[in-house]
Amino acid sequence: QVQLVESGGGLVQAGGSLRLSCAASGRTFSSYTMGWFRQAPGKEREFVAALSWSTSTTQYADSVKGRFTISRDNAKNTVYLQMNSLKPEDTAVYYCAARLFGIAVLSTQYRYWGQGTQVTVSS
């Protein structure tokens, strides 16, 4: 099985920063795209950022461009989401996801999911 475990969520004031981690195990991920999604109560799961493991190509939702950065550590099979200048509207459960092959922005295109980590941004 492919296992994804998120960590790093928490409570932060608006304007603050958090770094989320997603530790991947069970397979090598050189042919995978890693994604971050988020879901607030009563809302659909939405795309945040994605990274192609092999090419380092990235893509971001317009709402987080310039504030969030997705990156990876090949040695640790870990993907990160650095979140700066956080806003209350960033409050959500953040999920790490993985899919085989190319970069994608739809949650339905990702096969593997972590359990999520809560991010709460206070105003």
Side-chain angles (χ1 to χ4, degrees):
Q1 294 183 352
V2 172
Q3 184 172 336
L4 306 174
V5 180
E6 303 97 332
S7 62
L11 176 64
V12 65
Q13 291 184 321
S17 298
L18 284 173
R19 189 181 74 162
L20 306 183
S21 298
C22 174
S25 62
R27 294 182 180 273
T28 60
F29 289 85
S30 60
S31 298
Y32 282 74
T33 288
M34 307 298 295
W36 285 99
F37 291 78
R38 65 188 184 187
Q39 187 167 24
K43 297 186 180 297
E44 64 184 359
R45 190 166 297 184
E46 65 179 5
F47 170 77
V48 176
L51 176 147
S52 169
W53 204 279
S54 61
T55 68
S56 295
T57 300
T58 60
Q59 190 162 338
Y60 296 92
D62 288 342
S63 60
V64 306
K65 284 182 179 178
R67 299 189 298 122
F68 291 10
T69 303
I70 188 171
S71 61
R72 70 174 191 268
D73 185 327
N74 290 339
K76 296 182 178 180
N77 266 1
T78 299
V79 63
Y80 303 96
L81 185 68
Q82 178 66 47
M83 305 185 295
N84 298 326
S85 301
L86 283 162
K87 305 174 181 179
E89 51 263 45
D90 295 319
T91 296
V93 176
Y94 282 70
Y95 296 91
C96 179
R99 72 183 300 271
L100 193 59
F101 308 131
I103 201 161
V105 300
L106 300 178
S107 62
T108 53
Q109 296 176 287
Y110 287 78
R111 176 175 293 183
Y112 307 104
W113 293 85
Q115 296 297 306
T117 185
Q118 177 71 48
V119 172
T120 302
V121 184
S122 62
S123 59

